[in-house]
Amino acid sequence: MSKTPVKAARAPAPKQRRAAAKAPAKGAAPRIGLVSLGCPKALVDSERIVTQLRSEGYELSADYAGADVVIVNTCGFLDSAKAESLDAIGEAIVKNGRVIVTGCLGVEKGRILQAHPRVLAVTGPHQYEAVVAAVHDAVPPLHDPYVDLVPEAGLRLTPRHYAYLKISEGCNNRCSFCIIPSIRGDLVSRPANQVIAEAERLVRAGVKELLVISQDTSAYGVDLKYAASAWKGRDIRAKFYDLSRELGSLGAWVRLHYVYPYPHVDDVISLMAEGLVLPYLDIPFQHASPRVLRAMKRPASNDKVLKRIAQWRTVCPDLALRSTLIVGFPGETEDDFQQLLDFIGEARIARAGCFKYEAVQGAVANAIDGAVPEELKEERWHRFMAAQQTVSTEIMAARIGRTLDVLIDEVDDDGAIGRTQWDAPEIDGSVFLDATTLKPGDKVRAKIIGADEYDLWAEPVAG
Ligand code: SF4
């Protein structure tokens, strides 16, 4: 799980800390600090919370000292993430003193209060109303019903030109290493018209790239029995394909994350070939050995997956795959691990996040025999990264000479940094351009002139 700190707070002097814990001056808008940890799904939760609070007149503080209360949105996916969350709560208490905890670790309220008894309130994941109520208790809002403080697209914690679009909560799968379903519950999809309306607002507000997220994007709508909802005089079914097509018609890049390789994903590949959806799939395969996949309680036919990927590439030759994988799962043998290395080569996985297995408290997989020693996990992790780097280097080198669209993320005196259609923000590679007159959010045509293991270098071309 990636850590996404938001509004990283500077350390204030002790006297300022005490001042920050006082009620806001009479008539002044109350100010909220936010520390957001964890994955993009948690970041979207943070955005909803701050959007609601901002609409009620609260202001955001970029540091601990300026906040009347601090919300810490925690991650509880791995034990290391829980420890990091507890540290972040402790830091907020030391530096501000008034702290509300929410997010995935919130389901372990006793543990939080035992470590940090001064925490004002604890709420669980996607309990937006409960967090907002806790803020009201800690610092009452100033009421001004005549002032609309929130932009139409809501408040976002990402740069202006891309946005995460959450299409469902929870998950119906029961992967043995994962406790997310016990934290976030079973799949609950948003009706298609709600998702499309939010996406349209975002695009109108200047978003150039929509990053579709959920726990299991390809399962979208199963809980709704794919029920249609009305959108601009038409009925749109809550189906992965239908939603992807509608999102693709809005004019922004559409990138699909957390997709399972189910048969119905085949249809979405044709949308990529049509140019409606980016030729990119983020599929958390987790492993490739059928024995390990069965123990993980995940679909276990490696051959079928490889055939499916080959078929996808006949429809969309430019398809780039990103994945997350786990090494050192209990019982993983050298042979299992070798199958994983072979798989990333055969499947041409362009980008991969690799995790060493962690025995997360409450995960069924902890009862599986054959715990892999930490040194062996470490060794396999390095071998995995080296093998993946070889694949990635070849894929990057093959892009030299091509002219591509590049979406610019950052510009400074040294030049611009952007991404191609094959790279998601934060987690994938970059394109470096010797151009200082561009702005974040610009989309330019550029010829690729160099590559290393992960990144590309390019020069803008006219047209
Ligand atoms: S698909 Fe598996 S790993 Fe992903 S959230 Fe669901 S149970 Fe967890």
Side-chain angles (χ1 to χ4, degrees), residues 12-314:
K15 270 186 193 153
Q16 288 171 295
R17 256 181 246 150
R18 205 159 287 142
K22 283 182 187 164
K26 198 162 185 292
R31 296 174 72 84
I32 307 298
L34 174 72
V35 179
S36 189
L37 303 166
C39 61
K41 285 152 281 197
L43 189 67
V44 171
D45 290 348
S46 293
E47 289 176 340
R48 283 201 194 164
I49 293 165
V50 296
T51 296
Q52 177 61 31
L53 291 172
R54 190 79 182 90
S55 74
E56 295 176 356
Y58 289 87
E59 303 239 328
L60 296 178
S61 169
D63 56 26
Y64 289 119
D68 297 304
V69 68
V70 176
I71 300 169
V72 181
N73 190 3
T74 56
C75 177
F77 184 58
L78 296 173
D79 285 349
S80 51
K82 291 180 185 180
E84 192 179 10
S85 293
L86 287 172
D87 286 350
I89 297 165
E91 181 179 311
I93 286 181
V94 168
K95 293 184 175 172
N96 180 282
R98 311 191 79 209
V99 175
I100 292 166
V101 176
T102 188
C104 288
L105 187 60
V107 294
E108 296 187 41
K109 185 173 179 178
R111 181 175 176 180
I112 293 168
L113 292 177
Q114 192 179 18
H116 301 296
R118 289 174 59 202
V119 162
L120 298 176
V122 179
T123 70
H126 53 93
Q127 293 181 347
Y128 315 111
E129 291 83 7
V131 185
V132 170
V135 171
H136 291 169
D137 286 347
V139 204
L142 282 182
H143 187 55
D144 187 351
Y146 301 108
V147 180
D148 181 7
L149 297 165
V150 178
E152 189 196 21
L155 289 173
R156 291 185 291 109
L157 302 170
T158 46
R160 194 179 145 77
H161 61 284
Y162 65 81
Y164 294 103
L165 184 66
K166 199 195 273 193
I167 61 172
S168 61
E169 287 284 3
C171 182
N172 286 347
N173 301 317
R174 293 295 181 264
C175 303
S176 61
F177 55 85
C178 178
I179 56 168
I180 282 179
S182 67
I183 298 173
R184 294 194 166 236
D186 283 340
L187 179 77
V188 179
S189 303
R190 299 172 68 196
N193 59 358
Q194 276 186 24
V195 178
I196 301 164
E198 180 181 343
E200 197 185 62
R201 279 197 299 275
L202 289 166
V203 173
R204 244 193 336 253
V207 164
K208 304 281 175 54
E209 178 176 4
L210 297 164
L211 300 127
V212 176
I213 57 166
S214 67
Q215 302 297 340
D216 179 2
T217 294
S218 38
Y220 173 68
V222 169
D223 55 309
L224 299 175
K225 299 195 170 45
Y226 310 118
S229 49
W231 173 250
K232 298 194 173 171
R234 290 181 298 129
D235 281 343
I236 312 292
R237 290 183 305 169
K239 283 204 97 166
F240 182 45
Y241 173 84
D242 301 51
L243 183 70
S244 302
R245 177 170 274 289
E246 290 300 324
L247 295 177
S249 68
L250 297 175
W253 278 4
V254 176
R255 192 180 296 284
L256 302 174
H257 288 277
Y258 316 127
V259 175
Y260 256 52
Y262 296 131
H264 69 274
V265 174
D266 297 359
D267 299 337
V268 172
I269 306 299
S270 62
L271 298 179
M272 297 180 183
E274 278 183 60
L276 285 173
V277 172
L278 292 178
Y280 175 101
L281 273 182
D282 177 358
I283 307 179
F285 289 110
Q286 309 297 1
H287 213 281
S289 151
R291 217 179 58 78
V292 175
L293 286 167
R294 269 194 299 277
M296 288 178 161
K297 297 203 183 328
R298 291 181 66 87
S301 177
N302 197 13
D303 286 349
K304 269 198 203 154
V305 167
L306 284 171
K307 277 194 196 126
R308 173 152 283 127
I309 292 171
Q311 168 61 22
W312 289 346
R313 289 199 167 117
T314 63

